[in-house]
Amino acid sequence: QSRFVGDVATSNFDLGGLLAMGKLGRVSLDADLDGVMGGGQFVANIDGQVPLFDFNDYSYDSIALRGRIDNRRFEGVVGSDDHNLDFDFNGAVDFNGEVPRYDFALNLDRADLHALNFNRRDTVSVVGARLTANGSGNSLDNLNGTVRISDAEYVGLKDTIRTQSILLRGENSEGSKYVALNSDFADATFRSRLS
């Protein structure tokens, strides 16, 4: 293993072209790194600013991150003061296993889904919410843990929808499937041996 300490800076780097990912574009980054690499491992503490990040034909700015990267696991804080995406993330996400694991809190103050090109049908499409997640999984079939959404508000072209609490809980294995949704407006439970 080799230890490294230094600064990484890019300006308008074509990350999408390098990774052959159409929705990903240019990135500008200035970050301090301190870590070790070698023997199939990459572990680093990172403290950085991302003044430009192109994704889905939108250029994000004002993103900051601080934390620890351990191979494909990140633990720390990420925030954005972008005009169309204002959020604070604090916690951990781990993509080292077969399914992702997570334990985080996300305060989404504002996301303009139309401006960010996620909802192109409506000219007004803004969402905000508080989200906490603890568990593992990337689908309802392998969700094990809880996802809680609170103080959610969606402002659309015709109406505003608000809810105080949505709780999604899963307990899944090869032979047993269980998913429960509890909210202000609907409750549902799925229990089966099949997907």
Side-chain angles (χ1 to χ4, degrees):
Q1 289 187 334
S2 300
R3 184 167 190 271
F4 58 88
V5 176
D7 178 68
V8 174
T10 67
S11 179
N12 291 313
F13 180 71
D14 185 8
L15 186 61
L18 177 69
L19 300 176
M21 296 177 68
K23 290 194 177 229
L24 196 57
R26 301 167 300 136
V27 64
S28 294
L29 166 74
D30 188 5
D32 294 322
L33 294 173
D34 180 359
V36 293
M37 63 187 278
Q41 287 196 324
F42 177 84
V43 179
N45 294 314
I46 184 169
D47 187 356
Q49 303 289 323
V50 183
L52 171 69
F53 181 74
D54 286 345
F55 181 75
N56 200 28
D57 294 326
Y58 181 80
S59 295
Y60 295 85
D61 62 29
S62 306
I63 298 173
L65 65 137
R66 185 178 70 250
R68 181 176 178 83
I69 298 170
D70 187 346
N71 290 326
R72 295 174 55 200
R73 181 180 192 274
F74 173 80
E75 182 174 1
V77 294
V78 180
S80 170
D81 290 328
D82 185 280
H83 177 69
N84 292 307
L85 181 64
D86 187 358
F87 74 89
D88 292 302
F89 168 96
N90 187 347
V93 290
D94 187 346
F95 295 98
N96 285 309
E98 232 178 88
V99 295
R101 298 192 56 77
Y102 37 82
D103 183 5
F104 65 84
L106 173 69
N107 293 326
L108 178 62
D109 291 324
R110 182 175 190 276
D112 186 330
L113 302 179
H114 176 74
L116 299 173
N117 297 317
F118 287 104
N119 183 355
R120 296 179 187 195
R121 292 175 299 152
D122 297 333
T123 56
V124 178
S125 182
V126 179
V127 67
R130 308 287 172 254
L131 185 142
T132 57
N134 186 316
S136 63
N138 56 7
S139 73
L140 292 178
D141 272 338
N142 62 13
L143 173 67
N144 283 296
T146 59
V147 177
R148 181 182 303 273
I149 300 170
S150 58
D151 302 323
E153 179 180 83
Y154 175 79
V155 179
L157 191 60
K158 296 182 180 179
D159 205 356
T160 298
I161 301 168
R162 293 182 183 91
T163 184
Q164 293 299 310
S165 178
I166 300 171
L167 176 64
L168 180 64
R169 188 165 45 101
E171 297 172 12
N172 291 290
S173 65
E174 283 296 319
S176 175
K177 303 294 179 185
Y178 173 80
V179 177
L181 171 75
N182 300 101
S183 69
D184 300 343
F185 52 88
D187 295 323
T189 302
F190 176 82
R191 187 184 306 268
S192 177
R193 291 183 182 168
L194 304 174
S195 298

